[in-house]
Amino acid sequence: MPFLLSESTSPLYPIWENTSPTEILFADPTVTGYETLIASIPAELPVVVLDPNRDAIAQISEILSHQKQPLAGLHILSHAQSGMLHLGKSVLTDENLPEAEISQWAKSLTPDADILLYGCNLAADLGGFVTRLAAITGADIAASDNLTGSAALGGDWELEAHTGPIEVQIPLDAEAIGAYQGILAPTDLFISEYVEGSSNNKALEFYNGTGSAIDLAAGGYSVEMYFNGNTTAALTINLTGTVAHGSTFVLAHSAASFAGIANQTNGNGWFNGNDAIVLRKNGIILDAIGQIGVDPGTAWTGGGASTLNRTLRRKSAITTGDTNPSNSFNPSLEWIGFPEDTFSGLGAHNAAPQSPSLVAILTISRTRVLPFLTPAPLPQILI
């Protein structure tokens, strides 16, 4: 039976007084359908369901600090995207991992312990997050560089990337894997294309990869535009319509030359290259382009990408939005730039060819695991 930290009155109290587990699985309850997965975990492998209202890393640290003997394996079931682990309310990257706290995990792990991270595309950044976590903990880390979850949605349960020999096995059985109907990616709408073209040739495309259709009006989805560094939105557009799973929704200026292909149009004054854009759901920020409260001059730029007179398409490894519109914005980190008045990709997220450099990166990660990681046998699924 899983131990629910959200129901515990004393989370610091040792949760296995009479046992000495060699592995623990930590499950993020924000993963839709996680109950299906943990139901198949062998009885001898303790499962801890994290409290979504508390810091996840702190909870894991608390549990580990009270183990009677070093653990050979940790399993963390959560959402992820390229280089980002979504754990509870936190989004962890190789730059913001709490090193001082996580380094203490090593005291609770054997010298050759494994940490298995279940989440979509976590290692698709060529392993920056994975190698950083390995360096901090001293453990061998395994993660996926593609979708993790239901095969019907394009996922699998292989952890293709690893920093060393992985001896711990994936503890999910074939029945649970077959029954699970989701993927371990953050599940909501995000901006997949941005068009800032000549005159009124402006558009935003949104992609639904959640596994279910989204009713935009019922869900309270809206787009806000913040002009010239202002901290208050000058234009809010409430979205209407339904977006099927795997489909896109195009919002365009009503005077755009391609307005006929849009799902919704609006004729007000729209954004320029120096204006921030935010996608919200019932007031909650799902995604952002630019930085609220900052006027960059004419555009946000970086790595050859720009928000001025360009089309930007989200990189295929990005499966969720940027939920912090107050942080600095470099479009090249998550976007691929195309020339002004490029409209051919609207309505088909990732259908257009990616840039040669990105294709090369993805090919390397699939055929050689990761170029700088030590090849090792992949963990096997227990059946």
Side-chain angles (χ1 to χ4, degrees):
M1 180 177 181
F3 183 85
L4 304 176
L5 284 184
S6 59
E7 297 179 1
S8 171
T9 57
S10 181
L12 290 173
Y13 189 77
I15 62 176
W16 301 288
E17 282 195 310
N18 301 315
T19 62
S20 297
T22 59
E23 302 174 29
I24 299 176
L25 185 145
F26 294 93
D28 184 341
T30 66
V31 172
T32 302
Y34 79 93
E35 301 92 339
T36 299
L37 295 171
I38 66 174
S40 72
I41 303 298
E44 63 271 17
L45 199 165
V47 175
V48 178
V49 180
L50 299 169
D51 183 347
N53 296 311
R54 297 176 55 218
D55 181 82
I57 295 297
Q59 293 176 73
I60 294 174
S61 298
E62 288 173 355
I63 295 297
L64 294 183
S65 68
H66 290 289
Q67 296 315 299
K68 296 180 179 179
Q69 67 179 31
L71 298 166
L74 292 183
H75 306 261
I76 298 178
L77 178 70
S78 64
H79 295 127
Q81 67 182 103
S82 179
M84 301 180 185
L85 181 68
H86 293 246
L87 200 54
K89 293 184 176 181
S90 300
V91 179
L92 302 171
T93 70
D94 60 350
E95 295 181 351
N96 70 2
L97 279 171
E99 180 174 350
E101 184 171 5
I102 292 178
S103 64
Q104 298 302 306
W105 293 6
K107 297 178 180 179
S108 303
L109 302 174
T110 63
D112 58 350
D114 301 327
I115 299 178
L116 276 61
L117 304 172
Y118 308 92
C120 293
N121 297 305
L122 182 57
D125 65 337
L126 291 188
F129 180 93
V130 170
T131 53
R132 182 63 180 153
L133 184 61
I136 294 173
T137 62
D140 296 323
I141 313 296
S144 178
D145 64 8
N146 60 12
L147 294 180
T148 301
S150 170
L153 298 176
D156 60 47
W157 290 93
E158 294 183 18
L159 303 181
E160 297 85 3
H162 35 82
T163 62
I166 302 298
E167 299 172 354
V168 168
Q169 295 179 311
I170 296 176
L172 306 175
D173 64 22
E175 183 177 356
I177 288 173
Y180 187 65
Q181 299 179 359
I183 55 175
L184 301 184
T187 51
D188 219 314
L189 209 65
F190 65 91
I191 304 171
S192 50
E193 187 157 342
Y194 161 100
V195 176
E196 207 284 310
S198 60
S199 187
N200 288 311
N201 285 336
K202 302 176 190 290
L204 296 169
E205 175 194 87
F206 309 97
Y207 179 72
N208 175 14
T210 66
S212 303
I214 293 177
D215 185 326
L216 297 172
Y221 291 82
S222 62
V223 172
E224 295 177 340
M225 300 180 190
Y226 296 76
F227 300 151
N228 303 316
N230 283 320
T231 56
T232 301
L235 175 63
T236 298
I237 302 173
N238 295 317
L239 301 179
T240 61
T242 300
V243 192
H245 165 68
S247 297
T248 60
F249 184 93
V250 176
L251 172 68
H253 195 281
S254 57
S257 62
F258 51 84
I261 69 169
N263 301 98
Q264 183 176 341
T265 61
N266 175 276
N268 293 91
W270 272 41
F271 58 83
N272 293 311
N274 65 330
D275 300 323
I277 300 165
V278 173
L279 171 65
R280 293 183 184 265
K281 176 183 179 181
N282 284 328
I284 298 172
I285 296 173
L286 299 180
D287 202 358
I289 296 175
Q291 184 177 3
I292 292 177
V294 172
D295 186 343
T298 58
W300 283 277
T301 60
S306 172
T307 53
L308 176 67
N309 299 332
R310 290 290 186 272
T311 290
L312 299 176
R313 292 178 189 158
R314 215 70 179 253
K315 294 180 180 180
S316 59
I318 305 301
T319 57
T320 190
D322 177 359
T323 59
N324 185 359
S326 298
N327 60 2
S328 59
F329 182 72
N330 180 344
S332 68
L333 297 181
E334 296 190 0
W335 301 85
I336 299 171
F338 293 85
E340 183 180 20
D341 290 337
T342 299
F343 319 129
S344 57
L346 282 174
H349 178 47
N350 290 330
Q354 299 290 334
S355 69
S357 59
L358 182 63
V359 172
I361 288 172
L362 295 178
T363 301
I364 289 172
S365 70
R366 296 299 305 143
T367 58
R368 298 182 54 195
V369 186
L370 292 176
F372 50 83
L373 300 182
T374 304
L378 295 178
Q380 300 296 310
I381 296 173
L382 289 175
I383 299 177

